[in-house]
Amino acid sequence: MTVSSTAKTLLCACAVPMLTLAAPAYAQETAHETEDKAGQTALEMRAEQVIELINCELDPNDVFTDDLLAAVPPAQFAAISRQLTAQFGAALSVEELDPPQGTRAAIVVRMERAIARGWISVDPAEDNRMSELLFQSFDPVGDTPAKIEADLAALPGDVTWWFGPLDGASEPILASESDPQMPLGSTFKLYVLAALAREVAQNERSWDDVVPLTDARSYPGGMMQNWAEDTPVTLATLATMMISISDNTATDALIEELGRDAVFQTLVDSGHSAPELNNPFLATREMFLLKGGPAERLQAYREGNAGIRAAILESIDDTLVPTSQIQAAFSAGPVALDVEWFGNAADLANLFRFMRETADPRAFEIMGINPSMTANTRESWDYVGYKGGSEPGVLQLTWLLRGADGRDRALVLSWRNETANLDQSALELIAQRIQALSPDATE
C-alpha cells in the first residue's frame, strides 16, 4: 500500500502491507495527559476502539486525525481490515499497551487466530484522535495446515504450494495436489545466482571479478539502470543487487557475463522438469520489450519454437523503449503470461539441493540479505534465504529455510490469474501463517 508523504508507511518483513497507518508527528515527552470519565488515559481509550476498527464496527472518521484519514481513506482501511479478519478472525481484545500513558505505545491485540503486534499514537491537538495505527507482525495461533490449504485453494486463479523438508524422504507439511509449471517472475534470478555461484566454487570466477556495465539497460525494479555506462562493478555487487532488491539491470549484466546458455544449462543440471519452457533463457529487458513492443512480434514469439524465439531475441531493437511505454503495457492487467520464466515447486526444491552441492557459500549469504519475513518469525529459523517475483497476474514466493535441527526446508507459493491482478498481500499473509507453523506440524 502506498500512502502520501504526510504519513509513515510501515511494511512488515515479508513486504505485506498490514494495518499500517500513521500521521506525521507525535511528541510523547511534551504532550499533556488526559483521562476520560472512567479514569482511562487517552491511549487506553483509543486502544479499546482498535478492536471495533479492525472488526469494521467503528467509522475511522470518528477516531482518526485528518492527516491519517487523508493518508488512508476509510474505504481503504475497511478493505485492509476485512482482509485481516478473513485471515486471522475477529479482533477480540487488547492484550497489552505499553506504556498506557503518553501519546505513543506498543499495542498487542488478540485475534481469533493470531496475536497482532504494533504501535498506536494519539494527537492531543486533535482531541486525542489516532494519528498512528501500525501492526508490524501477526503471530498465528491455533492454525493448522488444513486451514491454510483451504485458504490457499480459495484464492482466485491457479495456486500451488509446497512446504516441507528437502531431504527427499520426508513428506511435506503442505502440498497442493498438483504441481504444474507456474510463472516465476523474478524468482528465476535464483538460476542466475546458481550459475554464478557454481563457477565461483569451481574457481572459474571470483566474486571480486570486475565487469563494466554495458549500455543494454533493463527497466525498473532496481536502480542500476540509472548508473553510468562502463561503471565498474564486481560480480558480488551484481548478484547482491539482483537478489536483494531484484535489480533487473544487474540481472541482465550477469546473464550477459555468464552467457545465456550457461544459465540455461544450470537450470537443466539442477533437475528442472520442463526446461524447454525456458529455452531460450530470457533476459529481463527482452521480456519487457516483448510485452511492451509490437503485438505481431509478441505473438510470433508465443507461437514459435526455441529456434524462432532465439531469432526474435536477436532482432530486438537495441534502442531502449521509454519506461513510460513499458509501464503502460502492464497497466491494464496481465499480459502474455506464457512469456515468462517457468518452474514448479519440485524444480525449485531441486535447485536448492543443487545449490547446496555446487554453489559457493556466499550465494546463501546473498539470499539471506532480504529474508522477507517478520522479525519474530525470523528468530525461529537458523537461516532464511528468499527470492520472489511478480508481474500483473503473477506472484511467486520462495524461501529456503534451515531449522535448529540443521535440516533444509523449502516454502514455495505460486499464484497465477490470466484475467485479473492479484491481491499480493493475501498470499503474503498466508505465507506468514505457514512460516509460523512448527516444522513438524500436522493436521
Side-chain angles (χ1 to χ4, degrees):
M1 168 172 71
T2 301
V3 298
S4 71
S5 60
T6 62
K8 287 194 279 183
T9 299
L10 176 62
L11 304 184
C12 79
C14 66
V16 181
M18 297 301 185
L19 214 47
T20 59
L21 313 172
Y26 38 79
Q28 181 167 337
E29 66 276 10
T30 61
H32 65 279
E33 190 64 47
T34 61
E35 296 187 357
D36 71 2
K37 294 179 180 179
Q40 291 179 310
T41 67
L43 273 174
E44 289 172 328
M45 178 184 67
R46 295 304 183 191
E48 286 188 359
Q49 292 174 324
V50 169
I51 305 303
E52 296 176 88
L53 282 166
I54 295 176
N55 294 335
C56 295
E57 297 170 350
L58 180 63
D59 188 345
N61 285 298
D62 295 337
V63 292
F64 287 173
T65 62
D66 290 342
D67 281 341
L68 195 51
L69 289 169
V72 183
Q76 185 177 3
F77 180 88
I80 297 171
S81 295
R82 286 193 296 270
Q83 186 179 85
L84 293 177
T85 54
Q87 289 284 347
F88 301 118
L92 302 178
S93 62
V94 175
E95 300 251 312
E96 183 178 333
L97 188 69
D98 185 22
Q101 304 85 21
T103 62
R104 189 172 192 250
I107 186 171
V108 178
V109 172
R110 175 62 186 254
M111 303 182 71
E112 289 178 338
R113 296 189 295 276
I115 302 295
R117 304 177 190 275
W119 297 90
I120 182 174
S121 297
V122 297
D123 186 349
E126 291 195 42
D127 195 27
N128 288 308
R129 287 171 173 255
M130 294 183 205
S131 57
E132 176 187 31
L133 182 56
L134 307 179
F135 284 106
Q136 298 165 280
S137 67
F138 292 80
D139 301 327
V141 293
D143 218 351
T144 68
K147 291 178 182 177
I148 291 171
E149 290 192 317
D151 289 340
L152 284 165
L155 295 173
D158 301 317
V159 185
T160 64
W161 58 89
W162 197 92
F163 174 52
L166 292 178
D167 55 21
S170 303
E171 290 295 318
I173 297 169
L174 298 170
S176 49
E177 292 184 3
S178 62
D179 192 19
Q181 293 290 310
M182 297 285 279
L184 296 178
S186 285
T187 301
F188 89 89
K189 295 169 185 177
L190 289 173
Y191 286 102
V192 183
L193 179 66
L196 172 60
R198 177 163 63 161
E199 293 192 10
V200 171
Q202 294 172 344
N203 295 316
E204 297 174 7
R205 297 181 188 271
S206 167
W207 294 109
D208 296 328
D209 289 347
V210 176
V211 297
L213 283 182
T214 70
D215 61 352
R217 303 306 169 81
S218 189
Y219 297 88
M223 61 177 66
M224 295 186 77
Q225 71 275 1
N226 299 319
W227 291 17
E229 183 179 350
D230 295 325
T231 298
V233 290
T234 66
L235 297 181
T237 297
L238 291 173
T240 299
M241 297 286 276
M242 173 180 69
I243 299 298
S244 65
I245 66 169
S246 209
D247 193 292
N248 291 324
T249 294
T251 304
D252 288 1
L254 280 175
I255 293 174
E256 182 175 356
E257 179 67 20
L258 296 166
R260 191 195 308 271
D261 292 343
V263 180
F264 179 74
Q265 191 60 50
T266 297
L267 180 142
V268 173
D269 293 346
S270 69
H272 196 288
S273 58
E276 67 279 1
L277 297 178
N278 297 286
N279 188 20
F281 197 91
L282 282 169
T284 68
R285 178 175 172 275
E286 293 166 340
M287 186 275 288
F288 284 119
L289 291 177
L290 283 169
K291 296 191 180 189
E296 298 82 5
R297 184 173 65 192
L298 175 60
Q299 190 61 29
Y301 190 89
R302 298 174 75 179
E303 296 175 352
N305 59 26
I308 292 174
R309 291 182 174 190
I312 291 173
L313 295 183
E314 287 291 330
S315 68
I316 285 182
D317 189 354
D318 286 339
T319 302
L320 281 176
V321 174
T323 299
S324 59
Q325 180 175 326
I326 297 297
Q327 291 173 336
F330 289 85
S331 63
V335 181
L337 299 189
D338 54 342
V339 179
E340 253 275 359
W341 303 266
F342 291 89
N344 61 20
D347 296 329
L348 291 167
N350 285 334
L351 174 62
F352 286 149
R353 295 189 192 100
F354 179 78
M355 291 180 69
R356 285 297 194 194
E357 296 171 357
T358 65
D360 183 87
R362 190 165 182 177
F364 300 102
E365 296 175 11
I366 291 171
M367 287 173 56
I369 292 172
N370 180 11
S372 202
M373 182 179 287
T374 64
N376 287 347
T377 305
R378 174 66 184 86
E379 292 176 358
S380 65
W381 296 99
D382 282 4
Y383 169 82
V384 176
Y386 170 78
K387 189 72 192 83
S390 64
E391 67 165 286
V394 171
L395 181 59
Q396 210 289 326
L397 311 172
T398 293
W399 284 267
L400 174 63
L401 307 167
R402 175 163 283 187
D405 57 4
R407 300 170 70 197
D408 280 334
R409 296 165 179 85
L411 169 55
V412 182
L413 300 173
S414 298
W415 187 8
R416 172 182 59 201
N417 192 327
E418 301 276 354
T419 60
N421 290 328
L422 305 178
D423 181 358
Q424 180 170 327
S425 58
L427 187 63
E428 291 173 328
L429 282 170
I430 296 176
Q432 198 174 85
R433 293 165 58 191
I434 297 171
Q435 293 158 4
L437 288 174
S438 164
D440 301 317
T442 58
E443 295 186 12

